[in-house]
Amino acid sequence: MMKKVLGLLVSAFLVVGIMSTSAFADAAKGQKYYLKYMKDGSGLNGAKFAAQHTQAEWKALFDGKAEKFVAEYSKKYSGLDAFLKGDKFEKFMPDIRDFCVEFASDSGNVPSCQ
């Protein structure tokens, strides 16, 4: 009886663990979305864009639904305005956030995108 309960608990934790990791955002996907949707509008390669802020600053800008990020970057780069206020940005935002945090000025990481 005890083995069955223990086995069930272990199985439940494994299922929850697998499901939760697939819900996490992905910096590599964010890099692809940046290159596809934001590079031309900003005029910056991914390394220069992400290095504009520290990890803490990026997290603060992307807090909530990224209202601060949208406000700052649609004003700073008018070419990004339509994308940042559209549905695609809302969908891709968690991955773009992870890209920016992963390659922030204080991260020590440099993206391979140009």
Side-chain angles (χ1 to χ4, degrees), residues 14 22 24-28 30 32 36 53 60 66 77-78 88 91-92 99 103-105 111 114:
L14 283 173
S22 65
F24 290 157
D26 183 347
K32 289 177 187 175
K36 185 170 183 173
H53 292 288
Y77 303 107
S78 59
K88 283 185 181 176
K91 180 180 177 184
F92 302 146
F99 165 69
F103 299 106
S105 60
Q114 298 302 320

Side-chain angles (χ1 to χ4, degrees), residues 2-50:
M2 193 66 167
K3 282 186 177 183
K4 283 185 179 181
V5 171
L6 186 62
L8 246 127
L9 282 173
V10 169
S11 297
F13 282 118
L14 283 173
V15 168
V16 169
I18 290 169
M19 288 174 63
S20 65
T21 56
S22 65
F24 290 157
D26 183 347
K29 283 183 182 177
Q31 179 177 336
K32 289 177 187 175
Y33 297 144
Y34 175 80
L35 290 173
K36 185 170 183 173
Y37 298 108
M38 297 176 68
K39 182 181 177 187
D40 291 341
S42 71
L44 300 173
N45 69 28
K48 288 181 182 173
F49 185 84

